[in-house]
Amino acid sequence: MAELKGALIGCGFFAINQMHAWQDVEGASIVAICDRDPERLDIVGDQFGIERRYADAAAMFADGGFDFVDIATTVQSHRALVDMAASHKIPAICQKPFAKTLSDAKAMVAACAAAGVPLMVHENFRWQTPIQAVKTVLQSGVIGEPFWGRFSFRSGYDVFSGQPYLAEGERFIIEDLGIHTLDIARFILGDVSSLTARTKRVNPKIKGEDVATILLDHDNGATSIVDVSYASKLATEPFPETLIELDGTKGSIRLSQGYRLEVSGPDGVAVSDASPQLLSWASRPWHNIQESVLAIQQHWTDRLANGGETSTSGADNLKTLALVEAAYESAASRRPVDIGAML
Ligand code: NAD
Ligand code: 89Y
């Protein structure tokens, strides 16, 4: 089959990773880029040798000549750009957070479904090598039925230097980072029926919350904790590792700092290294995230070429976004939130 042609909108901080990954993806490449900021457009166009450059997404869609669009802008523009893709019947990838509200997200999923085009949210953390390794061990049955889990991301890393807008929003860690951790909890232990959350802002220089502790009831009866912090000053900085603890009826799994994976089962204990690869264009400590960007973009390309729903389709992501909204609602009301009622 001929190579799929993609167009990327939003040539900012994170799009550099996406552009590098597209160069490594088998079966797709980027033929056009768009950014309303001419400087960013030229930086990315020159770095990746893309001639077709647009300041306006509508003009790019009108010209066409691509099979899918990769939307790498911040959340404010997601709904308009996904709707634009649907109206041109162009399959779309959209960065997280998928939408500002769950009701916008539902409308975006409906628009793509009505147009008959695939929609995937770039929810890449579940594609990280260590997270996939935990899922594989769990699915092997060695720890039996999981009844408890903890998904933890605690860091003091300065994310504001690369992404200054993160310091300015009323909402911060749940919407920006906890969204990934909640998605990992769903990916590992399944969908969630009810959620309770508490939040804090520790860093006085930012507007939103930088600490959140969230209790989840999963449909399968398991209970889990998602705890995230950008205010934790640790001896060895773990950014951007998600640490996981799972207890099952026959054993346990621990993914600890340094990508150490310990599995305890009826036949004993096995310790392995679940480190991500350092891709040629990647740099530590981001290499874990960067490798997952390549994995999710390859997954999209394979599904677009051969058919089938993506792991993080728009419809799937509604269930993760509902947890984000529920966490803010619960932190404000100090009450548990029924997730089923939101979907
Ligand atoms: P950024 O502000 O650096 O870049 C966004 C770019 O989009 C800017 O250059 C801006 O000019 C452009 N833009 C915005 N609206 C536009 C429009 N309507 N038309 C054309 N161009 C437009 O932001 P960023 O840090 O690169 O983040 C982008 C998204 O990626 C965010 O939603 C963020 O949450 C997400 N992100 C995801 C990961 C991950 O691991 N999945 C990591 C970091 C950031
Ligand atoms: O924006 C965030 C993300 O998605 O992954 C890490 C990050 O860059 C900072 O929290």
Side-chain angles (χ1 to χ4, degrees):
M1 194 183 155
E3 180 154 280
L4 294 166
K5 297 189 181 95
L8 178 133
I9 308 175
C11 298
F13 169 79
F14 201 70
I16 300 292
N17 296 315
Q18 294 175 225
M19 289 298 294
H20 274 298
W22 283 121
Q23 289 189 320
D24 285 359
V25 165
E26 282 178 27
S29 62
I30 297 297
V31 298
I33 55 172
C34 169
D35 200 299
R36 59 187 179 195
D37 174 347
E39 198 182 327
R40 289 305 309 172
L41 193 60
D42 281 344
I43 288 172
V44 171
D46 293 350
Q47 183 176 353
F48 294 94
I50 311 291
E51 296 303 328
R52 284 186 61 191
R53 302 177 191 181
Y54 294 85
D56 175 27
M60 188 174 79
F61 277 108
D63 280 359
F66 47 88
D67 306 300
F68 69 91
V69 66
D70 187 7
I71 299 165
T73 59
T74 43
V75 69
Q76 292 80 1
S77 52
H78 288 176
R79 176 152 185 197
L81 293 172
V82 167
D83 285 351
M84 210 182 278
S87 69
H88 286 84
K89 298 210 179 301
I90 295 289
I93 308 172
C94 180
Q95 254 298 349
K96 50 61 64 175
F98 182 30
K100 280 198 278 188
T101 64
L102 188 57
S103 90
D104 271 4
K106 285 178 182 173
M108 290 150 78
V109 170
C112 288
V117 292
L119 168 65
M120 179 180 86
V121 178
H122 188 121
E123 180 39 81
N124 50 321
F125 272 39
R126 65 164 75 176
W127 284 98
Q128 291 172 3
T129 292
I131 307 302
Q132 293 279 326
V134 168
K135 174 91 169 179
T136 302
V137 173
L138 185 62
Q139 282 178 329
S140 76
V142 66
I143 72 157
E145 288 305 314
F147 60 83
W148 180 87
R150 178 178 175 205
F151 305 90
S152 178
F153 185 107
R154 312 196 73 79
S155 167
Y157 190 82
D158 173 20
V159 286
F160 309 108
S161 56
Q163 297 167 267
Y165 58 90
L166 294 178
E168 289 150 20
E170 295 294 331
R171 293 177 167 189
F172 169 39
I173 198 168
I174 301 174
E175 184 180 82
D176 170 63
L177 186 281
I179 194 168
H180 293 302
T181 325
L182 289 163
D183 188 70
I184 290 171
R186 277 191 56 232
F187 178 60
I188 300 288
L189 286 178
D191 288 334
V192 172
S193 54
S194 150
L195 172 157
T196 307
R198 297 290 181 268
T199 58
K200 266 188 204 327
R201 179 171 59 80
V202 175
N203 180 348
K205 294 190 189 134
I206 67 170
K207 262 204 196 151
E209 82 293 348
D210 52 2
V211 179
T213 308
I214 306 172
L215 178 69
L216 303 174
D217 292 308
H218 293 265
D219 290 349
N220 63 2
T223 310
S224 76
I225 297 159
V226 163
D227 61 291
V228 292
S229 163
Y230 269 129
S232 299
K233 297 163 180 48
L234 298 160
T236 307
E237 175 51 55
F239 181 88
E241 292 185 46
T242 303
L243 311 183
I244 298 182
E245 298 173 38
L246 290 173
D247 289 357
T249 49
K250 293 190 202 158
S252 62
I253 300 173
R254 295 291 181 269
L255 175 64
S256 48
Q257 196 165 337
Y259 303 109
R260 180 181 188 274
L261 183 60
E262 183 184 280
V263 182
S264 176
D267 298 329
V269 180
V271 176
S272 59
D273 179 4
S275 293
Q277 282 183 74
L278 181 65
L279 296 171
S280 60
W281 47 270
S283 54
R284 293 177 194 278
W286 287 85
H287 62 301
N288 183 26
I289 292 178
Q290 288 163 321
E291 189 195 32
S292 72
V293 169
L294 173 58
I296 196 171
Q297 291 180 188
Q298 186 65 61
H299 172 64
W300 163 262
T301 304
D302 295 344
R303 287 287 198 268
L304 200 56
N306 305 316
E309 187 161 331
T310 52
S311 174
T312 60
S313 64
D316 177 85
N317 198 258
L318 295 180
K319 299 183 209 166
T320 293
L321 205 59
L323 301 185
V324 170
E325 280 211 355
Y328 286 110
E329 198 180 313
S330 172
S333 68
R334 301 188 77 80
R335 296 218 168 105
V337 175
D338 175 359
I339 304 303
M342 300 175 76
L343 291 166

